[in-house]
Amino acid sequence: MTTLVDPSAPTAAPRDNIGVVEWLRTRLFSSPGNTILTLATLVLLWFVLPPMANWFVLDAVWWAAPPEVCRAAEGACWAMIHEKHRLIIFGRYPYAEHWRPFVAMLVLIGLIGGSTNRRFWRRELAVAWAAGMVVMGVLMWGGVFGLTFVETALWGGLPLTLILTTVGIVVAFPLGIILALGRQSQMPIIRTLSVVYIELIRGVPLVSLLFMASFMFPLFMPSGVQISSLLRAQVAIILFAGAYLAEVVRGGLQAVPRGQVEAARSLGLGYWPTMWKIVLPQAIRMVIPGIVNSFISTFKDTSLVAIVSLTDLMLAARQAVGDPAWRAYGLEGYVFIGLIYLIFCYLMSRYSQRLEVQLYTGRQRL
Amino acid sequence: MTTFEDPAVPSEPPRVAPWNNPSVRAWVYQVVVMGLVLALAVYLINNTLTNLSERSIRTGFGFLDREAGFRMGESIIPIEPSNSYGRAILAGFLNTLKVAILGIILCTVVGVVIGIARLSRNWLVQKLATVYVETLRNIPILLQLFFWYAIITGTFPNSQEAWKPLPGVFISKSGILHAVPVADPAHLWIGIALLVGIIATVFYGRWVRRQQQETGRRPPLLGPALGLIVGLPFLVFLGFGAPLAWDLPVMGRFRFTGGQEITPEFLALWIGLGLYTAAFVAEVVRGGILAVDWGQTEAAGALGLRRGLVLRLVVLPQALRVIIPPTTNQYLNLTKNSSLAVAVGYPELTSVTDTTLNQTGQAVECIAIMMAIYLAISLSISGGMNLYNRAVQIPDRR
């Protein structure tokens, strides 16, 4: 008689659940080479981590304290952040009115957060954004409803960074779509103009565009017309982001099968209805992760407006550590705003990765 | 009998009014767009000329010959404040090239190591590589430059108490000082010997490949190659009687004299750009390796190739095809990001042009020069990479 495997008999647990020892063995010490690698890494960490922990945590001055206390301590001087955090986050915005940029920032973050939820991807979202922009404008500028007027030269810190990014991407998006369509167009002049624009902008650094904005835009205007430095930098960011978004959208346009265009044309749709109703909805859906990545890049790139003296998060931090009493603690300031940038960008990039997986489901590569 | 239309006889094209004819419309649109663009350009140029004459700013590139009058922290070519703006901008351009080339080398080396580490089966190594990538690419490069600059100028010792990791090397707040060999006529010949060695190695390598294809046996490559590239220059060096005098940095009363200096500005920029871009290169490398089907590795193993050969002959050539285009983009980004040197005070193209702009007030010309040079660098890097890309592309997949 043959013996069959008894299905009710317990089988060995999957490897992952075997225990600490097995976990260590498979992941860290599976071969001699691997063991050496692990040990070398541990030695490296032993030299790097304790000094870092000392500086960051153990020897640091954590709470409000005068600079003298920091000078006596060995580690980081977080008291500097405690003293200067309002300046770093809100820049030179009038101190008593800080609640206004704070609320504006919350509105913006709420809108961005809401837009990440795919259930809200409807027409109402655009209305919400428009309303949110109006509310933010009223809060930031003031001058109505008893709010004192605050000129854009005083805007600063994190709200400025967020506004530059969001307005930049929102306005650059239509520009990017038009350029991408232009680049795919059959008309030689329009195609050439689009290609020249896109390659020109992508070939030069953003800093040079910002210099152009701050030195040449005033010359472009008819005499007597002044434009604020905020608007100039914003225009430079829009022109820059537009060229990059155009390439993202082009990727989507190229991924839409030709048959879609042909089918639309044979139904008698003209160019714009074909693009607007058939091609773009599919193309943009495919490149949403790319658009989110552009948003992240733009968010990081806005830090360059510090070079043309706009008090964004970066320059606000530089000004905070420029205070003679706290000058020695620049590193702490950079770590602080570094964490802010890191948290925003990391969350956005995780979202973009998740979206990529979600949107990819069920679609085959053609 | 009814007559049918003969489908073979070409019917006249349908009569269409000109305003409904697609090709006529296309031209009308294009002429209108072109007209709008030209009108905008004329308007802007006109405004600019009016503004320039109102502010009595000179135009033209004559300023390039005038004396610059500012001092540059460092330069590859000798430069004095009495030199012209043109020469200052040239020195800035060379500084840009220097930091870009060295940065590209650093980001490639670190990026490849981190990218492979991201795929390591070692949990610790893999997690550390992930932390590296996620941290560095999610913090603006400008902030990282400030950070490195603050680390160097804030936590390194004074020149009096400089670290001496190697004889003749001093690391301090004011950068790295290292000894350089004193110039000697023998150096030229050593350089020539090195060049000869490299060329000979290339030819020898081709011969090795032909031998392998004809006879199936592979002559040794590594030994002779080392002999040619390292041994030949060394023999020349000995033949000249080993002339090696070092120009050592010596601590004077207040500062060092002698030796070669690496400034903290350059160091911050180089490390910052290199490590930041390495995070992106690492992701590209990881993606490229993952893109090669696992079946390729298995098939190569089944043919009896060793692990090293599988990687070198099967996986890497295929991965490189995926890796090269996005890596080119990263090199371009690094070069463009070197313009942020203006923030840490390294005198490269942007920073020199900015100084020139502020001194002469000729914004249009300065920005045009700056953009033209960056554009030229971008186009030549992407052009060169396109050529290389065509060379490694699978021939029959076009």
Side-chain angles (χ1 to χ4, degrees):
Chain A
M1 211 177 140
T2 48
T3 50
L4 295 173
V5 176
D6 176 10
S8 66
T11 51
R15 290 203 104 171
D16 270 18
N17 304 338
I18 281 178
V20 180
V21 177
E22 184 63 20
W23 188 92
L24 285 175
R25 207 187 63 75
T26 50
R27 283 181 173 76
L28 296 176
F29 304 103
S30 59
S31 69
N34 220 342
T35 308
I36 294 172
L37 198 59
T38 305
L39 293 179
T41 316
L42 283 176
V43 169
L44 186 75
L45 286 180
W46 176 253
F47 278 107
V48 173
L49 282 188
M52 272 177 75
N54 283 340
W55 187 82
F56 269 101
V57 185
L58 298 177
D59 295 337
V61 176
W62 276 97
W63 300 115
E68 293 75 39
V69 179
C70 281
R71 235 159 274 153
E74 292 272 299
C77 177
W78 302 121
M80 192 279 270
I81 304 298
H82 194 271
E83 171 82 16
K84 298 282 183 190
H85 69 279
R86 299 263 298 245
L87 177 58
I88 294 177
I89 291 181
F90 296 112
R92 292 194 297 138
Y93 207 87
Y95 194 84
E97 309 285 334
H98 276 180
W99 64 272
R100 281 159 51 182
F102 183 70
V103 175
M105 204 159 70
L106 287 187
V107 170
L108 190 54
I109 293 176
L111 280 172
I112 296 173
S115 307
T116 57
N117 192 331
R118 288 172 63 201
R119 268 187 305 154
F120 296 141
W121 288 1
R122 277 177 306 186
R123 207 145 285 188
E124 288 84 344
L125 190 62
V127 180
W129 269 94
M133 287 291 179
V134 172
V135 171
M136 278 166 52
V138 168
L139 281 168
M140 292 300 290
W141 266 297
V144 283
F145 308 124
L147 297 170
T148 49
F149 177 71
V150 180
E151 55 175 336
T152 54
L154 293 178
W155 295 14
L158 188 55
L160 183 69
T161 295
L162 285 169
I163 288 172
L164 280 172
T165 311
T166 319
V167 175
I169 286 289
V170 168
V171 181
F173 191 50
L175 177 66
I177 291 179
I178 289 172
L179 284 168
L181 289 175
R183 195 169 185 162
Q184 302 284 84
S185 163
Q186 306 289 324
M187 307 183 203
I189 293 177
I190 290 186
R191 192 172 59 233
T192 315
L193 283 175
S194 309
V195 170
V196 167
Y197 177 85
I198 292 172
E199 295 306 327
L200 197 72
I201 299 280
R202 279 160 42 97
V204 299
L206 177 57
V207 175
S208 67
L209 276 180
L210 286 169
F211 276 144
M212 190 177 105
S214 63
F215 293 115
M216 279 168 70
F217 283 6
L219 296 176
F220 286 162
M221 292 293 120
S223 48
V225 179
Q226 296 280 330
I227 45 175
S228 70
S229 52
L230 174 65
L231 186 60
R232 280 182 248 160
Q234 182 70 77
V235 170
I237 288 174
I238 290 169
L239 293 179
F240 189 74
Y244 282 83
L245 277 174
E247 288 299 275
V248 171
V249 174
R250 180 168 75 119
L253 289 178
Q254 283 175 340
V256 175
R258 259 205 75 72
Q260 296 285 326
V261 178
E262 284 162 4
R265 289 332 262 285
S266 67
L267 286 174
L269 293 183
Y271 178 79
W272 286 110
T274 307
M275 289 300 151
W276 191 245
K277 290 185 160 43
I278 310 289
V279 177
L280 280 175
Q282 300 183 60
I284 288 171
R285 193 183 154 80
M286 265 184 253
V287 294
I288 287 173
I291 294 168
V292 178
N293 288 340
S294 290
F295 189 90
I296 299 173
S297 310
T298 309
F299 183 70
K300 288 190 294 172
D301 283 343
T302 53
S303 62
L304 305 197
V305 299
I307 290 179
V308 290
S309 310
L310 237 62
T311 325
D312 73 324
L313 190 56
M314 177 76 75
L315 192 59
R318 297 267 294 168
Q319 287 177 350
V321 302
D323 180 343
W326 301 95
R327 184 157 285 167
Y329 308 108
L331 215 49
E332 285 83 343
Y334 297 144
V335 169
F336 177 63
I337 60 168
L339 278 177
I340 297 179
Y341 279 112
L342 182 64
I343 292 168
F344 272 89
C345 293
Y346 182 71
L347 290 179
M348 295 299 288
S349 76
R350 288 315 292 261
Y351 168 69
S352 152
Q353 284 161 13
R354 213 183 65 212
L355 206 57
E356 215 162 324
V357 175
Q358 285 176 352
L359 292 180
Y360 193 73
T361 10
R363 193 190 301 115
Q364 299 289 316
R365 239 182 243 198
L366 291 157
Chain B
M1 214 175 127
T2 48
T3 51
F4 288 103
E5 226 177 280
D6 180 1
V9 174
S11 57
E12 257 179 50
R15 289 176 150 276
V16 180
W19 56 88
N20 277 337
N21 183 336
S23 63
V24 173
R25 279 187 164 203
W27 280 107
V28 170
Y29 288 142
Q30 297 194 73
V31 168
V32 168
V33 169
M34 198 68 205
L36 285 177
V37 170
L38 285 180
L40 182 69
V42 167
Y43 174 72
L44 292 182
I45 291 171
N46 197 21
N47 279 340
T48 308
L49 289 179
T50 318
N51 281 317
L52 287 177
S53 66
E54 262 176 27
R55 298 176 201 185
S56 56
I57 298 175
R58 274 195 267 187
T59 52
F61 290 92
F63 71 95
L64 288 176
D65 294 328
R66 292 213 307 272
E67 185 183 312
F70 59 86
R71 185 171 291 284
M72 279 173 69
E74 63 193 286
S75 163
I76 301 174
I77 52 172
I79 186 143
E80 291 294 320
S82 59
N83 285 133
S84 66
Y85 282 117
R87 191 173 171 84
I89 291 177
L90 174 68
F93 168 63
L94 292 176
N95 277 341
T96 296
L97 284 190
K98 174 182 159 193
V99 78
I101 291 170
L102 293 175
I104 284 174
I105 295 173
L106 179 66
C107 82
T108 311
V109 172
V110 178
V112 169
V113 170
I114 300 283
I116 292 173
R118 283 265 274 164
L119 294 170
S120 168
R121 267 172 294 179
N122 189 312
W123 181 86
L124 194 61
V125 170
Q126 189 219 324
K127 285 291 173 241
L128 279 180
T130 309
V131 169
Y132 176 93
V133 169
E134 291 297 351
T135 312
L136 268 87
R137 69 173 185 173
N138 282 328
I139 294 178
I141 171 66
L142 183 61
L143 179 57
Q144 296 191 29
L145 294 182
F146 284 138
F147 179 82
W148 291 115
Y149 194 63
I151 292 243
I152 293 172
T153 55
T155 63
F156 281 23
N158 288 321
S159 355
Q160 278 85 357
E161 300 124 29
W163 292 322
K164 305 180 192 69
L166 289 170
V169 178
F170 296 86
I171 302 178
S172 70
K173 267 189 206 324
S174 40
I176 299 179
L177 268 169
H178 62 92
V180 281
V182 179
D184 189 280
H187 291 168
L188 180 66
W189 292 105
I190 295 174
I192 292 174
L194 180 69
L195 206 64
V196 169
I198 292 174
I199 294 171
T201 309
V202 170
F203 280 102
Y204 178 70
R206 287 194 186 161
W207 179 79
V208 166
R209 173 169 284 194
R210 242 193 344 265
Q211 281 291 306
Q212 189 181 16
Q213 279 168 358
E214 283 168 8
T215 65
R217 284 180 186 284
R218 190 179 167 82
L221 179 63
L222 193 65
L226 271 179
L228 282 170
I229 293 177
V230 182
L232 197 60
F234 191 67
L235 279 180
V236 173
F237 173 67
L238 291 181
F240 272 89
L244 190 62
W246 289 94
D247 176 14
L248 282 170
V250 180
M251 184 69 208
R253 255 183 87 156
F254 296 109
R255 46 192 301 240
F256 285 96
T257 49
Q260 181 101 30
E261 188 190 20
I262 304 173
T263 60
E265 290 80 21
F266 172 80
L267 215 53
L269 186 65
W270 178 60
I271 296 176
L273 285 177
L275 295 187
Y276 175 75
T277 316
F280 292 88
V281 172
E283 284 303 273
V284 171
V285 168
R286 185 176 78 107
I289 294 177
L290 284 180
V292 179
D293 200 291
W294 181 241
Q296 296 282 329
T297 312
E298 286 179 331
L303 287 174
L305 289 180
R306 276 184 282 117
R307 230 184 106 77
L309 286 180
V310 171
L311 203 64
R312 213 181 73 210
L313 299 177
V314 178
V315 177
L316 276 186
Q318 298 186 63
L320 275 186
R321 262 179 222 120
V322 185
I323 288 173
I324 285 166
T327 309
T328 316
N329 269 336
Q330 292 312 324
Y331 291 168
L332 281 175
N333 283 343
L334 187 145
T335 311
K336 284 186 278 170
N337 282 336
S338 73
S339 58
L340 299 181
V342 71
V344 289
Y346 174 73
E348 48 65 79
L349 183 61
T350 307
S351 135
V352 174
T353 325
D354 184 37
T355 315
T356 308
L357 194 163
N358 284 322
Q359 289 190 4
T360 61
Q362 294 190 287
V364 181
E365 290 86 350
C366 287
I367 288 169
I369 291 176
M370 175 158 74
M371 287 190 162
I373 295 180
Y374 277 114
L375 212 54
I377 298 177
S378 297
L379 291 180
S380 40
I381 293 188
S382 62
M385 277 298 187
N386 278 344
L387 285 181
Y388 179 70
N389 205 12
R390 205 167 297 157
V392 299
Q393 215 54 256
I394 304 174
D396 55 2
R397 252 199 209 162
R398 266 174 292 171

